[in-house]
Amino acid sequence: MGWFTVNKIDDNTYVISENGHWENTNCYLLTGKDSAVLIDSGLGVANIKEEIKKLTDMPVKVITTHAHWDHIGCHKYFNDIYIHEDDSEWIINGLPLPPQAVIKNLTPENFTGSIPPEFDIKSYRVFRSKDIKILKDGDIIDIGRKLRIIHTPGHSPGHICIFDESNGYMFTGDLIYKGTLYAFYPSTDPVKYRESVIKISNTEGIKKVFPGHYDYNQEKDIIKETENAFNEINKKNRLKQGEGIFEFENIKIQI
Ligand SMILES: [Zn+2]
Ligand SMILES: [Zn+2]
């Protein structure tokens, strides 16, 4: 069995998951009329492009939910890369993190399945490039299905969700998923995070939620649960960094 697990959501939408690492990162391939979109490219421990070639021969645009290392690992295999302006600095000049901080997430104990034979931790580099295209809130990428860019800062300054309007699919990256949500690093902003969750909650027409980590198959109730959780923390006046981990039914929030 290969490193990636591919599941078909519908005839033109696939989820490509990395279940052999504890983060269970999910990337999504959306095929359109003449081109396709890949939402995030994963950890970069195996080549996702080889998987994509099995699914489509259309040219692929890569849309980045945010510039954290675990979502841009295979960007190096593509040349048509999109990212929100407020995270672009990290792609151009690198993450504000020492390389060891990333590498420690890729040591053998982080893998829950067999490590891909081609992965060499010594040559692992976080993706950087100046050759990127900039996205703004409200932009539409039209591949024969309209993908709306929604700026949702908080987990990172330039985090975006991508709304596939015709199917009602909301791709939420690291803003909303069933697991522990992170707003405790210096570059996060818990107040903006809550506002972004409310922004998604107020978006009309969502039928399904497809997150960047863990179980990809989420009902839209997860949005309301996340909104309620942030509202509860906010009401207690504890929506500030250093307050710790808050536990709810299906999610935790670390701030
Ligand atoms: Zn992240
Ligand atoms: Zn992530």
Side-chain angles (χ1 to χ4, degrees), residues 209 218-226:
V209 172
Q218 295 297 331
E219 300 307 322
K220 64 176 186 174
D221 310 359
I222 187 77
I223 302 172
K224 202 72 204 167
E225 185 180 348
T226 310

Side-chain angles (χ1 to χ4, degrees), residues 137-169:
D137 185 56
D139 281 355
I140 303 276
I141 295 194
D142 191 349
I143 56 166
R145 58 201 279 195
K146 282 196 175 113
L147 306 176
R148 178 148 52 97
I149 305 304
I150 305 175
H151 184 210
T152 50
H155 176 75
S156 78
H159 190 287
I160 57 169
C161 293
I162 296 120
F163 188 40
D164 176 1
E165 293 181 346
S166 47
N167 291 298
Y169 297 162

Side-chain angles (χ1 to χ4, degrees), residues 23 66 70-71 155 174 213:
E23 289 195 15
H66 63 301
D70 50 333
H71 300 263
H155 176 75
D174 280 9
H213 293 286

Side-chain angles (χ1 to χ4, degrees), residues 64 75 79-84 87-89 91-92 127-134:
T64 317
H75 275 39
N79 48 29
D80 198 10
I81 289 168
Y82 293 74
I83 186 153
H84 188 273
D87 266 17
S88 61
E89 165 73 17
I91 294 258
I92 296 166
F127 175 76
R128 283 171 63 169
S129 174
K130 288 183 173 57
D131 186 15
I132 49 171
K133 295 180 178 122
I134 297 296

